[in-house]
Amino acid sequence: MQPQADPFIVPVCHDEIEILYQDEALILINKPSGLLSLSGKHPDNKDSVHFRLVQDFPTCTMIHRLDFGTSGIMLVAMNKQVNAQLCKQFSERTVSKRYTALLHGHLKTGEGVIDFAIAKDKENFPLMKVCQQTGKPAVSKFKVLERFVQTHEHAFFQEHEKAGDRAVTRVEFEPVSGRTHQLRLHSQQIQHPILGCDLYATDEAFFASSRLMLHATELAFDHPITGERMNIISPSPF
């Protein structure tokens, strides 16, 4: 875990929210990395997805969150009735989610399932921890998309005094459950942390990237009004 400032102030995010789809019931957006999903308690953490969207859509409500370092697809309801219907889909796990991530090192297996229960780490907030006794079930499917050697030609890879060529694996994650920090913690548990992760990565993996290399790539759900199955894709920027 990298040292956390107290209070933790999120750096200013200059990137804009991209609207991928919009109708009278909902909005689908592409969240930039470095933007909170909801405003924090500290006044300097006011900027967020919700804070920006309510300027133009005063009745919109959040259904789920992405960590501030994670980019990608978020689903936003235009009113409380739609929110309740979509939240039910999330709780019943009829919503399908896929993420793209860059992991430190080369995974030996091409695909698999990570199954570790997750609980709050009360002594080390904001960390979560693996605990089979008190944790809630958490399952993540993964599939290797590519194995390569990191160079500094990529814009997200940053120079560091200990930098050198590093083995990197691009994976597609499909979280079966939706626990806080699930993909970040599960990646750590298989000894291949997500690059740029400030909470669960080794120093080498953290300093390898200028951002958290995790992107919500695909979201599928039933439209709350029409019942049509919607499948939204946001290609990974890395």
Side-chain angles (χ1 to χ4, degrees):
M1 176 180 175
Q2 301 301 312
Q4 302 294 305
D6 186 17
F8 178 66
I9 306 299
V10 177
V12 176
C13 179
H14 298 287
D15 294 329
E16 300 293 328
I17 293 173
E18 176 189 6
I19 295 181
L20 302 173
Y21 174 86
Q22 175 187 345
D23 62 23
E24 71 282 357
L26 55 88
I27 309 171
L28 284 148
I29 68 161
N30 188 28
K31 183 186 92 66
S33 175
L35 182 65
L36 294 169
S37 293
L38 289 171
S39 301
K41 295 181 180 179
H42 195 283
D44 288 340
N45 288 335
K46 180 186 294 184
D47 190 26
S48 68
V49 170
H50 183 256
F51 178 78
R52 293 187 186 187
L53 289 181
V54 293
Q55 311 304 315
D56 297 316
F57 310 102
T59 62
C60 75
T61 58
M62 307 298 288
I63 298 165
H64 63 126
R65 305 182 190 184
L66 293 178
D67 291 344
F68 86 94
T70 305
S71 57
I73 302 172
M74 287 187 69
L75 177 57
V76 181
M78 291 293 268
N79 56 63
K80 292 182 179 180
Q81 291 74 25
V82 170
N83 182 294
Q85 208 276 359
L86 291 172
C87 283
K88 182 180 180 182
Q89 292 188 46
F90 272 88
S91 64
E92 294 178 348
R93 297 184 182 178
T94 60
V95 176
S96 174
K97 297 173 285 184
R98 286 185 172 85
Y99 293 74
T100 298
L102 295 186
L103 305 187
H104 186 256
H106 283 169
L107 274 71
K108 294 181 180 180
T109 56
E111 59 183 31
V113 177
I114 307 170
D115 186 354
F116 293 110
I118 294 176
K120 290 183 179 180
D121 190 342
K122 296 180 179 179
E123 296 181 356
N124 296 291
F125 179 83
L127 292 180
M128 306 295 286
K129 64 180 180 180
V130 166
C131 183
Q132 297 301 125
Q133 287 73 40
T134 63
K136 295 180 179 179
V139 176
S140 304
K141 299 178 182 178
F142 71 87
K143 179 173 66 175
V144 171
L145 302 177
E146 179 187 9
R147 297 179 181 90
F148 63 96
V149 175
Q150 170 188 333
T151 68
H152 300 294
E153 297 176 357
H154 196 295
F156 291 113
F157 294 149
Q158 57 187 18
E159 295 288 348
H160 186 255
E161 59 181 2
K162 297 182 180 180
D165 291 344
R166 295 188 182 91
V168 177
T169 303
R170 186 188 313 277
V171 300
E172 178 186 84
F173 276 122
E174 182 180 352
V176 178
S177 49
R179 309 302 178 199
T180 301
H181 299 171
Q182 177 173 318
L183 298 180
R184 300 166 74 179
L185 184 55
H186 275 180
S187 298
Q188 179 206 51
Q189 291 298 303
I190 62 170
Q191 309 303 313
H192 293 282
I194 298 175
L195 299 185
C197 180
D198 59 338
L199 297 180
Y200 303 101
T202 60
D203 284 350
E204 184 178 7
F206 170 71
F207 285 114
S209 172
S210 59
R211 58 155 288 183
L212 176 66
M213 291 303 219
L214 182 62
H215 181 79
T217 310
E218 187 174 354
L219 185 71
F221 63 98
D222 297 331
H223 193 282
I225 304 299
T226 67
E228 175 188 0
R229 189 67 176 175
M230 300 190 68
N231 189 64
I232 306 298
I233 295 175
S234 170
S236 172
F238 49 79

